[in-house]
Amino acid sequence: MELANTLSQDGESRGGVLAHLERLETQVSRSRKKMEEPQSAQAEESALGTRIHELRRLRDKLRAEVKQHQASVKASTTNVEPDQTLEITEQESLKRKWENVKAILQAYRFTGISGKLTSRGVCVCISTAFEGNLLDSYFVDLVMRKPLQIHHHSIPVFIPLEEISAKYLQTNIQHFLFTLCEYLNAYSGRKYQADRLQSDFEAFLAGPLQRNSLCNLLSFTYKAEPEGQSFPFCARLLYKDLTTTLPTDVTVTYQGSIFF
Amino acid sequence: MDSQLVEARALEAEITALRRACVEPPAPGEDTSRVRKSFRETYQADSEGWELSKDLRSHLGHLESEIQFLSTLTGISIRHYSKKTEDLTSTEMTEKSIKKVLQRHRLSGNCHMITFQLEFQLLEIQNEESLSSVITDLSIIMEPTEYSELSEFVSRAEERRDLFMFFRSLHFFVEWCEYRKRTFKRFKEKYPEAVHLSEGASSSCMGIRNPSRPGFELVIVWRIQIDEEGKVLPKLDLLTKVPLQALELDKNGVIETAPLSFRTLLGVLGIEATLESLIKSLHTEASN
């Protein structure tokens, strides 16, 4: 296209053509360079590659020599047992120990109870789950003093924390923690079930799911079939035992008449 | 190519250091300070390493005491833990910014006299709104297997993949076992001739007899059961061993109703007081 333009204007055509030819030439030389560059780069790379290969070989050879050397020195200075060699391997074993210890600390959360030391005492984290689904975590910040005190916590207000701590906190802290664990896990499980009922069975529910904050009293109306002519049932679930996720009382009523 | 250059430089440096190490002649044991010096020279680059290891050591000590504290707090000691992570995110998922990761965990330790080994899989799915973590597999190995009540409980926990319930119930079970052991031991010490523990300290039965009245024996069976929900409950029963003659003389059927009366007494007095009253009744009667 450019050629056409440059050729159309006669006065400028020669300069235009020359300029064009120059342009073409630079293009060719540039592309040639580009082709050469990867080649030279490749050549450089392959040279570097062989060098690395050789360096590796030399390094391995030297490593073996140093090992032998060290072994012979060690053999001749056994009574001395230099601290330095111990310190090197000690550092490695320290690092390994440190990583292992860190991992174990993290693993404690899988027991349901884990904690971190604080300046006052310990901040205990209680994890909850239901049927393998990991749910919310709660924390209790304890002050290590006589008597033991709860500095602050994230336990919901409807969990009987005062009752449980009055019974066990001072005498048996393990029992206190695991009992709290029981209540929290049960609450978490009931809440999870109620949430799933609302979301997964929306089509079956004929109205909103009514529940209290503890999720131990649920009331809802449902149909046996999502569409169609089935009549609605009213269900009321009561969970008297706050440490369980199964209801203790279930009432299902039907309002209407049955035609036989 | 840059990475290759870096590697080449690193190799060169290493070779120089190794050459230095080789050059030192082996000292036949007389000049130990020279040997020390040569080692120090060889590992000169690690001079910062000394500082690091000192910090590491104190930090390690702090972490170890934290583990010790947690172990005392929960009653559970974890000895080993390892984890493997597998990324299951497909290209489709990455497009929708969903991340799927499978973690394989291995945990072992003990809770008092019971050692456990767990392996479980955790599937984590992260999308824009939330992160869901689900335990997709759980396998538990426990020793000692002499507590037969535990094997059923373990398979239930595995089925439900309820890791937390496992630890919770394990704790309460162990607590009850220890309480039973302490109680039996206390009675054995207080009434050495009357009380008989057939299987030793951790037995689940306590026999009460009177040496001057052989043939009569009350056996208290104290089992610790774990129910479907993981609740740990003690279950006590009374068995009577009475000679035939005594049975014939028992017009009021006291012996027949003994197990039931025992349960009622438990509800009124609690475990320790009930056991003590039984021991006393058999004991004092004889001494009269």
Side-chain angles (χ1 to χ4, degrees):
Chain A
M1 246 189 317
E2 280 176 353
L3 195 62
N5 285 339
T6 50
L7 283 177
S8 57
Q9 286 106 7
D10 229 325
E12 303 158 334
S13 63
R14 210 176 284 154
V17 169
L18 277 178
H20 182 69
L21 283 175
E22 263 185 64
R23 249 178 274 136
L24 283 175
E25 222 180 311
T26 42
Q27 267 186 14
V28 167
S29 65
R30 223 181 278 150
S31 62
R32 203 180 285 152
K33 256 200 203 152
K34 270 209 185 119
M35 276 183 33
E36 282 178 344
E37 258 178 355
Q39 277 183 1
S40 63
Q42 269 178 23
E44 272 186 50
E45 270 191 54
S46 63
L48 198 55
T50 28
R51 180 163 164 73
I52 286 181
H53 192 71
E54 287 200 357
L55 283 174
R56 279 197 198 135
R57 224 173 28 89
L58 183 58
R59 183 217 37 204
D60 292 338
K61 186 170 118 194
L62 284 172
R63 268 191 185 165
E65 279 186 19
V66 169
K67 250 196 181 149
Q68 263 189 356
H69 172 83
Q70 278 182 4
S72 65
V73 172
K74 214 174 187 176
S76 56
T77 59
T78 37
N79 45 340
V80 177
E81 201 60 68
D83 308 322
Q84 273 71 356
T85 43
L86 278 178
E87 277 180 77
I88 306 313
T89 46
E90 197 181 324
Q91 191 179 11
E92 269 195 30
S93 75
L94 263 181
K95 207 158 185 210
R96 228 173 290 148
K97 254 198 208 166
W98 181 72
E99 278 169 12
N100 191 35
V101 164
K102 251 183 74 173
I104 290 182
L105 266 177
Q106 285 208 346
Y108 263 95
R109 69 182 177 108
F110 293 117
T111 63
I113 297 184
S114 80
K116 270 191 114 73
L117 289 178
T118 64
S119 50
R120 293 178 289 265
V122 64
C123 185
V124 180
C125 178
I126 298 176
S127 320
T128 62
F130 181 70
E131 286 185 346
N133 292 279
L134 298 189
L135 305 167
D136 297 322
S137 303
Y138 303 89
F139 76 86
V140 179
D141 203 331
L142 294 169
V143 183
M144 289 300 170
R145 225 188 271 146
K146 283 239 161 133
L148 219 59
Q149 282 166 17
I150 300 176
H151 187 249
H152 63 287
H153 62 86
S154 68
I155 314 279
V157 81
F158 38 79
I159 302 281
L161 179 63
E162 287 85 39
E163 210 181 287
I164 303 169
S165 53
K167 263 198 207 163
Y168 305 114
L169 183 59
Q170 306 306 330
T171 49
N172 189 344
I173 193 170
Q174 281 180 18
H175 202 105
F176 165 74
L177 289 174
F178 279 104
T179 309
L180 201 53
C181 227
E182 253 188 333
Y183 277 85
L184 287 169
N185 266 280
Y187 161 66
S188 233
R190 292 193 302 266
K191 178 158 161 282
Y192 178 78
Q193 288 177 85
D195 289 339
R196 292 303 288 268
L197 175 64
Q198 251 182 320
S199 59
D200 296 356
F201 293 90
E202 218 180 315
F204 291 82
L205 291 177
L209 169 70
Q210 291 174 325
R211 63 207 224 179
N212 63 347
S213 31
L214 248 181
C215 289
N216 73 327
L217 180 57
L218 302 179
S219 170
F220 54 93
T221 315
Y222 70 100
K223 295 178 278 189
E225 286 152 37
E227 292 133 48
Q229 308 263 317
S230 64
F231 25 74
F233 294 95
C234 294
R236 184 172 168 274
L237 284 86
L238 177 64
Y239 303 70
K240 268 203 208 125
D241 189 347
L242 292 181
T243 61
T244 60
T245 51
L246 287 175
T248 49
D249 291 286
V250 177
T251 324
V252 180
T253 54
Y254 161 71
Q255 288 175 340
S257 48
I258 305 173
F259 294 97
F260 287 101
Chain B
M1 201 170 89
D2 286 345
S3 60
Q4 283 190 314
L5 275 172
V6 168
E7 193 182 352
R9 298 257 161 76
L11 283 166
E12 282 167 351
E14 202 178 346
I15 288 171
T16 328
L18 285 167
R19 280 216 176 99
R20 237 186 283 137
C22 277
V23 159
E24 305 290 335
E30 13 119 281
D31 200 349
T32 59
S33 60
R34 232 180 83 203
V35 170
R36 282 218 181 105
K37 193 161 156 240
S38 75
F39 276 111
R40 187 164 272 147
E41 274 182 350
T42 309
Y43 298 94
Q44 192 72 47
D46 271 351
S47 59
E48 312 179 315
W50 305 137
E51 303 300 315
L52 211 69
S53 82
K54 249 188 269 162
D55 281 337
L56 208 64
R57 217 170 299 170
S58 68
H59 196 215
L60 181 66
H62 180 80
L63 289 178
E64 277 176 339
S65 64
E66 202 163 328
I67 288 189
Q68 187 58 42
F69 183 77
L70 272 180
S71 157
T72 319
L73 192 70
T74 60
I76 298 168
S77 288
I78 298 180
R79 305 230 179 270
H80 292 289
Y81 170 66
S82 66
K83 160 173 133 179
K84 277 192 218 155
T85 314
E86 193 185 325
D87 194 345
L88 296 178
T89 320
S90 66
T91 39
E92 267 180 57
M93 291 183 199
T94 345
E95 278 165 29
K96 299 186 201 157
S97 51
I98 299 176
K99 195 161 177 228
K100 193 170 170 186
V101 171
L102 183 68
Q103 298 175 349
R104 271 176 250 267
H105 301 260
R106 210 175 263 183
L107 194 85
S108 66
N110 69 291
C111 179
H112 285 252
M113 65 290 190
I114 297 181
T115 52
F116 53 80
Q117 236 182 307
L118 305 171
E119 267 185 47
F120 59 95
Q121 291 185 0
L122 194 66
L123 184 64
E124 281 195 350
I125 302 180
Q126 167 123 51
N127 57 23
E128 281 172 357
E129 309 156 336
S130 59
L131 166 69
S132 87
S133 302
V134 184
I135 298 174
T136 51
D137 191 60
L138 174 61
S139 115
I140 304 171
I141 303 171
M142 287 227 289
E143 300 162 44
T145 48
E146 57 192 53
Y147 295 102
S148 52
E149 304 103 323
L150 286 178
S151 51
E152 215 186 288
F153 159 65
V154 163
S155 26
R156 224 179 288 133
E158 282 178 334
E159 242 177 69
R160 289 206 184 160
R161 295 164 282 128
D162 207 335
L163 189 59
F164 298 154
M165 177 192 86
F166 167 74
F167 280 112
R168 219 165 44 238
S169 306
L170 184 65
H171 167 262
F172 285 125
F173 181 82
V174 165
E175 214 184 47
W176 271 109
C177 281
E178 299 280 291
Y179 175 60
R180 177 177 66 187
K181 195 161 142 183
R182 275 200 312 271
T183 311
F184 279 175
K185 191 166 167 231
R186 198 166 69 81
F187 284 131
K188 175 76 186 169
E189 281 166 9
K190 198 167 173 191
Y191 308 97
E193 291 140 12
V195 171
H196 172 66
L197 299 172
S198 53
E199 293 151 34
S202 23
S203 90
S204 57
C205 303
M206 179 174 92
I208 308 173
R209 33 168 107 126
N210 195 309
S212 52
R213 287 249 200 283
F216 278 93
E217 190 174 357
L218 296 175
V219 175
I220 293 158
V221 182
W222 185 346
R223 281 193 217 97
I224 298 163
Q225 296 180 331
I226 309 179
D227 75 2
E228 292 252 336
E229 287 274 305
K231 272 240 177 110
V232 181
L233 300 158
K235 190 158 183 293
L236 287 98
D237 282 304
L238 180 70
L239 301 173
T240 54
K241 195 168 132 199
V242 159
L244 220 59
Q245 292 176 314
L247 264 179
E248 287 165 5
L249 291 169
D250 179 18
K251 301 276 163 57
N252 292 332
V254 171
I255 292 169
E256 225 181 290
T257 56
L260 211 61
S261 322
F262 174 69
R263 292 242 181 90
T264 321
L265 204 61
L266 273 177
V268 173
L269 294 177
I271 296 176
E272 284 185 67
T274 306
L275 295 185
E276 184 135 31
S277 67
L278 275 176
I279 298 173
K280 280 193 176 149
S281 65
L282 213 64
H283 202 61
T284 49
E285 214 184 75
S287 52
N288 278 349

